[in-house]
Amino acid sequence: MRKITDKIFIDQLIVPCIVGLFEHERKQKQDLIISVTLSVNTKKSGKTDDINDTVNYHDLAIEIEKTVGNSAYQLIEKVAQVVANICLTDKRVQEVTVKIEKPRAITNAKSSAIEITRSNE
């Protein structure tokens, strides 16, 4: 099967949540910046102009915000995996790349981050 190279992006979704190892990080929500790249065949939706023929990125963003916003993970690695799993529940998503940025996590750095790629096999 030929791999599809169409991409759908959710870029820099800001989600406040509890995340981190240290006590001060677990007292109040802090922003994570979540970016998602979905590999999806958009050929059908490009012809039909029907949202049912593609991944609804609006609903996907809401699900990511709800799930991550209500979580209290210690590691951004876990957050990245959870977001990837959410995206891959839609079997039309062939592959997803998730980047999680944690602003001001390191002194003198804009952010720390992780990027993972997972696929539906």
Side-chain angles (χ1 to χ4, degrees), residues 51-64:
I51 189 66
N52 296 308
D53 292 332
T54 191
V55 175
N56 185 327
Y57 54 82
H58 177 265
D59 290 350
L60 183 59
I62 290 171
E63 182 63 24
I64 292 168

Side-chain angles (χ1 to χ4, degrees), residues 71-111:
S71 70
Y73 300 117
Q74 293 185 34
L75 303 176
I76 59 174
E77 290 85 344
K78 175 66 176 183
V79 177
Q81 186 61 57
V82 167
V83 171
N85 291 345
I86 291 168
C87 296
L88 292 171
T89 59
D90 188 324
K91 297 306 176 194
R92 294 174 293 195
V93 176
Q94 297 174 5
E95 185 176 89
V96 61
T97 298
V98 177
K99 181 177 181 181
I100 307 291
E101 294 178 76
K102 186 175 175 186
R104 299 169 302 281
I106 300 171
T107 304
N108 299 326
K110 183 177 177 182
S111 68

